[in-house]
Amino acid sequence: MSESPTLIDQINALLPQTQCGQCSFQGCRPYAESIASGVADINQCPPGGDEGIRDLADLLGVSPKPLNTEFGLHKPPSVAFIIEKDCIGCVKCIAACPVDAIVGAAKLMHTVIASECTGCELCIAPCPVDCIVMQAAPPSNTEKTRAQKSAQAKRRYDARCLRKEQEDAEKAERAKKKKLALLKMQAAKK
């Protein structure tokens, strides 16, 4: 028997999963939690636009309202594009991308996987050479339904979070082993 989704899960499923933070929360799930608890309003997500607000209103049984422009304006779908000749390979954009849509290596050119980019724009600010621009999403991105794009972005975001947790755990374990080895060395010297 499968567990039915919670209200938070249902709200989160309606959000675009850009993880952009424009709503003033650190991602779509925290925003969903805040909507469910009554802390946030349904009209704070510019990427979701009027359609997203209507879906949230229907789910919650409330009247739709216009997007609160204090959080930004709804824009047509776009993706990040790296001007490769200007890229210095600093990897700051890779670290900023919440869905791992940017590939590259340190001191080498980077590129964006357009079909995976959510258009969150989080990669733009950390770029020290301003080589990232937003472009209209290619037709392959606009043909998918909102729900398909959202689900794909959520899978990639969840996978990135899991990878980051594993990396942090491995780093902590290495530090613990290094500290233990150092203590053993110091004890052996005494």
Side-chain angles (χ1 to χ4, degrees):
M1 178 185 265
S2 67
E3 195 176 307
S4 62
T6 66
L7 178 61
I8 293 169
D9 293 331
Q10 292 172 346
I11 293 168
N12 194 37
L14 295 176
L15 297 173
Q17 301 303 312
T18 57
Q19 312 305 333
C20 65
Q22 290 183 64
C23 60
S24 80
F25 294 92
Q26 293 294 316
C28 295
R29 178 114 187 146
Y31 178 43
E33 292 167 353
S34 296
I35 291 172
S37 68
V39 171
D41 211 338
I42 63 171
N43 65 342
Q44 294 178 208
C45 178
D50 292 337
E51 192 176 353
I53 293 168
R54 278 192 305 276
D55 290 348
L56 290 169
D58 289 347
L59 173 68
L60 300 171
V62 298
S63 297
K65 51 181 73 172
L67 175 65
N68 183 339
T69 56
E70 173 185 324
F71 299 97
L73 301 173
H74 182 68
K75 300 175 189 171
S78 63
V79 295
F81 177 78
I82 296 176
I83 303 165
E84 295 174 350
K85 67 178 179 63
D86 296 339
C87 178
I88 60 171
C90 71
V91 303
K92 291 180 179 181
C93 59
I94 291 175
C97 181
V99 293
D100 285 339
I102 302 174
V103 293
K107 300 189 189 309
L108 296 173
M109 174 190 65
H110 298 32
T111 194
V112 176
I113 306 168
S115 62
E116 305 298 344
C117 179
T118 63
C120 69
E121 301 182 9
L122 293 175
C123 57
I124 294 173
C127 180
V129 293
D130 296 326
C131 71
I132 303 174
V133 296
M134 299 305 291
Q135 295 183 337
S140 60
N141 275 24
T142 56
E143 290 170 1
K144 294 178 185 171
T145 66
R146 247 176 12 100
Q148 288 171 321
K149 286 190 271 189
S150 175
Q152 178 180 339
K154 185 175 183 322
R155 281 190 301 275
R156 290 190 64 86
Y157 176 70
D158 290 346
R160 180 181 190 269
C161 289
L162 180 60
R163 178 179 56 79
K164 292 294 224 177
E165 285 175 22
Q166 290 170 340
E167 287 172 356
D168 290 346
E170 288 168 5
K171 185 177 178 180
E173 185 62 29
R174 284 192 305 272
K176 183 179 172 183
K177 285 180 181 177
K178 190 175 180 179
K179 185 176 181 180
L180 248 163
L182 185 62
L183 290 172
K184 284 181 181 179
M185 243 173 46
Q186 288 173 343
K189 287 181 180 179
K190 290 183 181 182

